[in-house]
Amino acid sequence: MTMRAVLQHLYLVGAASVLTMIFGSILGVAAYLYKSLRGGVLWLVDVLQTIPVLALLGVIMIFFGATSTTVIIGIVLYSLLPMVRNTYIGLEGVDPAIKEAAQGMGMTKWQRLLKIELPLAFPIIFTGIRIAVVTSIGIAVFGAVVGGGGLGSTINRAILIQDMGTLMQATFALMGMAMFFDFGMSYIEKRLQSR
Amino acid sequence: MITFTNVSKKYDEITVVDELNLSIEDGEFVILIGPSGCGKTTTLKMINKLIEMDKGEIHIDDKNISDINGDELRREIGYVIQQIGLFPNLTIKENILVVPRLLKWKEEKCDKRVHELLELVGMPYEENAMKYPNELSGGQQQRIGVLRALAGEPPIILMDEPFGALDPVTRESLQDELKVLQKKLHKTIIFVTHDMEEALKMADKIVFMSDGKILQVASPEEMLANPADSLITDFMGRHAVTTEEQYHDLTCKEVMFKELIFVSETEKPLEVASKIKKSDHDMAVIVDENAAPKGVVTLDLIKQFQQADKKIVEIADTEVEKVSENKLAKDAFNQMIKDNKNYLLVMDDKNKVTGLITRDVITNSLARLVWGDMDWAL
C-alpha cells in the first residue's frame, strides 16, 4: 500500500463530496421551494440508491470511460440521497413562526432562504454532509473496477496476490479514514446543534 | 386610514370572513376580538397580504393593496406574532434591523435607530444589542418583537395575540408599555386577542367578530354598556355591567342569603352557639314545629346571656321584621336603614322563611354594581 493510494482515495472522496454538497443542496432547496418538483426529486434520489453500485458505475463508464471522473460521478449519484433529504427536511423543519415572522417583515422568498432558513437548517444539512462523506469513502472502493484507483485498487490487487499484510493495511486505512471523518464531523455537528 | 370593502375569504367551502366592511382611522388602537374561528386573525393577515382575500378590496389611505407587491407592502407594516418568532441565528440588534436593512437604510441611521428603540423599552444597548434571542426572557423577547415591528417606522402595526403566550405579570407590564408607546408614537395598531380584559384595557375601538361577520364595533365603554349581542355579553363575563335599571328591579329573593341555620325553640343556647360556629354565618333562625319563624339569635346575643339552662327562644330577638321575597331589594334596604335593623327575614308566600337580608347583603349588592359580577365571598 502506498501513500499515493490513500491520497488518491481522499481525492475521489473530496471531489465527490464537494459536488454532492453543491448538487444536493440545490436539489434539496428546489424540493423545498417548488412543490411540483418535490415528489420527483425525492423519488429520484431514492431510486438512485437502489441501483447496485457496480451496475451504476458500469453505466457511467459507457459515457466517461474507465477514469476517475466515472468514479466521482458514481459516488455523487450515490450519496445525493442523504444530502438532498437532509437539506429538504432541515428547511421544512424550521419553526413555522420564524418563517411567518420573516415573511411578515417583508423578506422575499430568497432573502428568507439565505438569511434565515438555510442558516437555521444548517445543523441538519451538516448531518447530511457527514453521512454523504462517510458513505462515499466506502463507495470509492468500488472505483477500482472502473479504473478509478484509490484504496480499492490496492485491496483488489492484494486479494489477487493473496497479500494479507497489504490487505489489512488498506482495510485499516479505510476504517481509520471513515472513523476520522465520522467522529470529527459528529463533533462539529454537536457544536452546531448546541447553538 | 384602512378601509375594508366587502372583503370575503373562503377556505374550501368554509367562509371565514364574510362580506366584511370596516374602517380604521389613523392612530387608532383597534382590537379584533371574538371566539376562535371567528375570522379575526384572517382579517388581520389580509391587511399585509399574508393571506390573500377572495373578494372585496382593502385600501390603505388611497392605495388598493392588491396593486402593491406583498413583500414591499409588508416592509411598510409592522408585524408582531404570538410565538414572537425572533430569528435565533441573529443578534438582538440584527433582529431589530431586519426591516431597516430591507429598506436599505444607511448604517449610521440603523445604528441610531437601535439605540433609540432599546432605550424606549428600557433595555440598555450595551447589555442587550449583541445578545442572541435565547439569552433573553420571554417578556424581553416579545419587547424585541415589538421593537422589530417598529424599527422601519411603519405607520401601521399588526399584532396577532402578541402577549398571549406570556405569564400574566409580564403580559400586564407589556400591555402598559405598549399603551404608553402608542400614545407617544401615534401608530395605527390592529391587535387580535381573545381576551376581553385585554381588549377593554387597550382598545380605542373594539371590533367583535363571530362567524366571519362583525357583530359590533364600539368603544370599550360603549360595548360594556350596550353589548349588541348575547355572545358579546357572554364574552365579557364578569366585566359586563348590569345596568342600573336591572338593579332597580332586583328583588329580595335575588340578593338574600339562602343558606340559613334553623334551630327549634327548645334548643339550649350552647348547642345553638356550636351550630352557628360551624357555619359561615353568625346567626340562626328559630322556628316552631310548623316552620314558622319565632325569632333570630346571633352569637353576640348568646354571649350576652351566658345562662346555659335558658331556652334559646327566651334570649332571641323575637321582634324581627319580615319582608316578602318578591319585594324590591331597594325597598327592603330602605326599610332596614330607616328602622336601624341589622337583619330582615325574607318570607315566601306560604309564610316560610327562605332567606335573610343583612347589612352584608347590602354591601355585596353595592360592590357588584360598582365592580361587576365577581364571586364575592360572603
Side-chain angles (χ1 to χ4, degrees), chain A residues 95-109 111-112 115-117 119-120 194-195, chain B residues 45 48 50 71 74-75 77 79 81 83-90 98-99 102 134 148-149 160:
Chain A
D95 183 356
I98 290 173
K99 291 182 189 174
E100 191 188 327
Q103 195 186 359
M105 298 296 113
M107 288 184 169
T108 63
K109 197 198 270 184
Q111 285 167 335
R112 295 199 302 268
K115 289 186 187 164
I116 309 295
E117 292 165 352
L120 291 178
S194 66
R195 263 211 324 213
Chain B
K45 288 184 182 176
N48 67 357
L50 280 177
D71 292 325
R74 287 188 279 272
R75 287 172 203 172
I77 299 177
Y79 188 52
I81 57 175
Q83 310 88 326
I84 306 175
L86 292 183
F87 307 124
N89 56 324
L90 303 180
V98 166
V99 177
L102 290 171
N134 62 7
R148 183 174 62 172
D160 190 3

Side-chain angles (χ1 to χ4, degrees), chain A residues 109-130:
Chain A
K109 197 198 270 184
W110 292 102
Q111 285 167 335
R112 295 199 302 268
L113 186 73
L114 293 175
K115 289 186 187 164
I116 309 295
E117 292 165 352
L118 276 175
L120 291 178
F122 189 69
I124 292 174
I125 298 177
F126 190 80
T127 308
I129 297 175
R130 175 174 63 82

Side-chain angles (χ1 to χ4, degrees), chain A residues 153-186:
Chain A
S153 308
T154 314
I155 292 174
N156 227 355
R157 207 175 311 119
I159 292 171
L160 286 176
I161 60 170
Q162 303 252 310
D163 177 356
M164 290 313 269
T166 312
L167 184 61
M168 293 303 276
Q169 274 181 350
T171 309
F172 280 121
L174 274 174
M175 284 168 65
M177 220 183 268
M179 280 162 75
F180 172 77
F181 281 106
D182 201 18
F183 285 124
M185 291 173 85
S186 293

Side-chain angles (χ1 to χ4, degrees), chain A residues 20-32:
Chain A
T20 304
M21 282 182 232
I22 295 169
F23 290 112
S25 53
I26 291 173
L27 287 172
V29 167
Y32 168 67

